[in-house]
């Protein structure tokens, strides 16, 4: 039997849905885009032209929810890593847009550079449950306004899995298209393979960003799936209560679903969320708080209620170092999502409220997720796991070590075997140099970065991508 961990009952899910519809109908959302407002008005929304506020009806929401596909494949540069969503079990995504890195060689925190994007891509490519890659840091050695495209291009070179990134301005869209064409050969292949998807963040409370919205709307014309990602925080950009903050975030998501389905009916959509709470003493956003975990688990349930693929922020920490706090918070914020079969848990590799990347933390997060997945699988009570005959044969006071089933069972998937967690005796641990989990992760990082890439990009294709990067440097 699988282990479960739901936060909301079905009645509570329906209550949140109804409150979200009421927010859209009575409060509305600000849409500072003439293009999007015109689509909404034509579809039946009441629009305040002066304030740029659209009041979206429940009928419009129902139509959008029915129009979007509920199953599709996020393609990868290497088709071996194509990712069908909804997934069989939870997987990992990188977290995004940090500005610092804990240098894996010196161990000190420093400002992130483009090479860190490349290093993270190399590590992510070898993580078995890593499926969707975000460009995890904003490189300081790239001029402002050009970081998005150069980070996307660097990620495509160094990682062969699905890439998910943002387009913040319309002028970035042609570069995304050219990057995909360089790998796939044509726009049609871009539409068919879907190796790139876009993250679209609403602006809490109840606003859309004109430039980002129009750029993302344009991307839907190329078949790119869209991850809708609200981020209200209790007590600042969202109401102080957890329940109402969830209703607000859900309303923002539904408003974006409506706009993207009106733009390009049938656009693949992913239900996402990165809700959080604030520290009442400082006002800082707290990702690793238990209340954050509760809200994110609830948002995951909302997405599954609507029947969409889900990407929810999790495996998060506010810790400023890789250590006990980061492991505690990341486990706490990952476990509820895994127990609810969220397709992609987005938070891998970053600490300090997603501001600082650690390559070692990436591998520790893989360990956390693997253990959470083992917990989710629960206990198999099938007939092949019934060892009554062994119990009968051994009887009272015997030993099961010599039973034929023991060797097979202990090496099966029923018993999880860690790659970086030690289980030696104290004396054995001392003899091996007192190496802990962080040191084991560091050894693995070094091995990966010093080895040849397992899925390198073809040389001529990489050359074209680097030419696109040069063009972006010159024109963006």
């Amino acid at each position: 039997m699988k282990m479960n961990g739901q936060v909301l009952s079905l009645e509570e899910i329906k209550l949140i849905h109804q409150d979200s519809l009421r927010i859209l109908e009575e409060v509305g959302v600000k849409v500072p885009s003439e293009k999007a407002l015109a689509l909404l008005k034509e579809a039946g929304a009441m629009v305040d032209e002066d304030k740029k506020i659209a009041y979206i009806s429940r009928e419009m929401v129902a139509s959008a929810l029915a129009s979007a596909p509920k199953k599709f494949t996020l393609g990868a540069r290497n088709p071996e890593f194509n990712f069908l969503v909804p997934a069989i079990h939870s997987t990992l995504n990188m977290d995004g847009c940090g500005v610092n890195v804990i240098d894996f060689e010196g161990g000190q925190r420093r400002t992130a550079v483009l090479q860190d994007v490349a290093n993270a891509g190399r590590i992510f490519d070898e993580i078995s449950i890593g499926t969707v890659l975000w460009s995890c840091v904003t490189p300081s050695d790239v001029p402002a306004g050009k970081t998005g495209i150069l980070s996307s291009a660097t990620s495509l070179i160094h990682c062969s899995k699905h890439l998910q990134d943002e387009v913040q301005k319309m002028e970035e869209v042609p570069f995304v298209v050219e990057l995909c064409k360089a790998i796939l050969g044509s726009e049609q292949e871009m539409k068919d393979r879907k190796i790139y998807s876009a993250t679209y963040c609403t602006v809490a409370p109840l606003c859309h960003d004109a430039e980002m919205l129009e750029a993302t709307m344009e991307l839907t014309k190329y078949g790119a799936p869209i991850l809708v990602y609200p981020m209200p925080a209790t007590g600042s950009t969202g109401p102080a209560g957890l329940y109402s903050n969830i209703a607000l975030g859900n309303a923002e998501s539904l408003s974006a679903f409506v706009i993207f389905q009106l733009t390009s009916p049938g656009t693949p959509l992913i239900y996402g969320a990165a809700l959080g709470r604030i520290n009442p003493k400082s006002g800082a956003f707290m990702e690793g708080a238990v209340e954050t975990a509760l809200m994110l688990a609830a948002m995951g349930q909302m997405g599954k209620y609507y029947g969409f693929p889900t990407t929810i922020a999790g495996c998060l920490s506010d810790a400023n170092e890789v250590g006990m706090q980061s492991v505690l918070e990341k486990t706490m914020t990952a476990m509820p999502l895994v127990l609810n079969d969220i397709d992609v848990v987005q938070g891998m590799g970053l600490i300090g409220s997603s501001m600082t990347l650690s390559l070692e933390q990436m591998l520790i997060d893989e360990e956390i997720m693997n253990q959470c997945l083992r917990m989710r699988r629960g206990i198999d009570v099938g007939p092949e796991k019934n060892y009554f005959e062994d119990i009968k044969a051994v009887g009272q006071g015997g030993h099961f070590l010599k039973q034929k089933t023991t060797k097979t069972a202990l090496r099966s998937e029923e018993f999880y075997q860690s790659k970086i967690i030690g289980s030696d005796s104290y004396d054995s641990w001392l003899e091996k140099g007192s190496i802990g989990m962080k040191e084991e992760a560091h050894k693995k990082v070094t091995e990966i970065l010093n080895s040849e890439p397992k899925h390198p990009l073809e040389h001529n294709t990489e050359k074209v991508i680097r030419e696109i990067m040069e063009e972006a440097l010159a024109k963006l």
Side-chain angles (χ1 to χ4, degrees), residues 105-355:
E105 292 178 328
Q108 301 299 313
R109 197 180 85 155
R110 58 169 172 77
T111 305
V113 295
L114 194 59
Q115 183 59 46
D116 296 314
V117 177
N119 290 344
R122 286 285 313 279
I123 302 297
F124 192 81
D125 213 37
E126 299 201 25
I127 290 176
S128 60
I129 56 171
T131 52
V132 178
L133 176 66
W134 277 18
S135 298
C136 51
V137 289
T138 301
S140 61
D141 56 343
V142 174
K146 310 168 193 287
T147 56
I149 295 301
L150 268 66
S151 293
S152 290
T154 300
S155 295
L156 284 169
I157 291 171
H158 294 281
C159 183
S160 61
K161 297 179 178 179
H162 181 82
L163 176 64
Q164 194 168 82
D165 217 329
E166 296 177 340
V167 283
Q168 296 185 354
K169 297 181 179 181
M170 187 69 76
E171 62 182 346
E172 294 178 341
V173 175
F175 287 97
V176 170
V177 174
E178 289 303 311
L179 288 173
C180 292
K181 285 171 59 179
I183 292 171
L184 302 173
S186 69
E187 287 183 15
Q188 187 58 49
E189 281 294 298
M190 178 182 177
K191 294 178 181 179
D192 294 341
R193 289 276 304 278
K194 299 184 184 345
I195 66 169
Y196 178 96
S197 58
T199 300
Y200 174 73
C201 297
T202 51
V203 183
L206 297 171
C207 293
H208 291 270
D209 177 84
E211 286 188 304
M212 190 176 190
L213 178 59
E214 291 187 359
T216 309
M217 289 167 66
E218 183 68 18
L219 258 184
T220 66
K221 299 175 183 178
Y222 298 93
I226 308 300
L227 166 64
V228 178
Y229 218 56
M231 302 176 66
T234 56
S236 59
T237 56
L242 306 188
Y243 159 67
S244 288
N245 200 47
I246 294 164
L248 175 71
N250 188 59
E252 291 182 6
S253 289
L254 294 177
S255 72
F257 275 37
V258 170
I259 292 171
F260 292 131
Q261 288 305 307
L262 290 175
T263 304
S264 301
T267 290
L269 297 174
I270 303 168
Y271 186 100
L275 279 62
R277 58 157 286 190
I278 63 166
N279 185 328
K281 296 180 180 180
S282 66
F285 190 89
M286 295 178 66
E287 290 190 339
V290 63
E291 295 83 7
T292 297
L294 288 169
M295 288 188 287
L296 292 172
M299 288 294 285
Q301 284 189 255
M302 295 304 298
K304 294 183 75 67
Y305 170 70
Y306 296 130
F308 287 97
T310 48
T311 294
I312 305 295
C315 203
L316 305 166
S317 177
D318 301 311
N320 292 309
E321 62 177 353
V322 178
M324 293 178 65
Q325 181 184 340
S326 65
V327 170
L328 168 65
E329 292 178 339
K330 281 174 169 283
T331 302
M332 180 178 62
T333 54
M335 182 68 79
L337 303 182
V338 175
L339 294 183
N340 281 288
D341 288 330
I342 298 308
D343 299 307
V344 180
V345 177
Q346 176 267 314
M348 180 186 198
L350 277 87
I351 57 175
S353 305
S354 295
M355 288 292 101

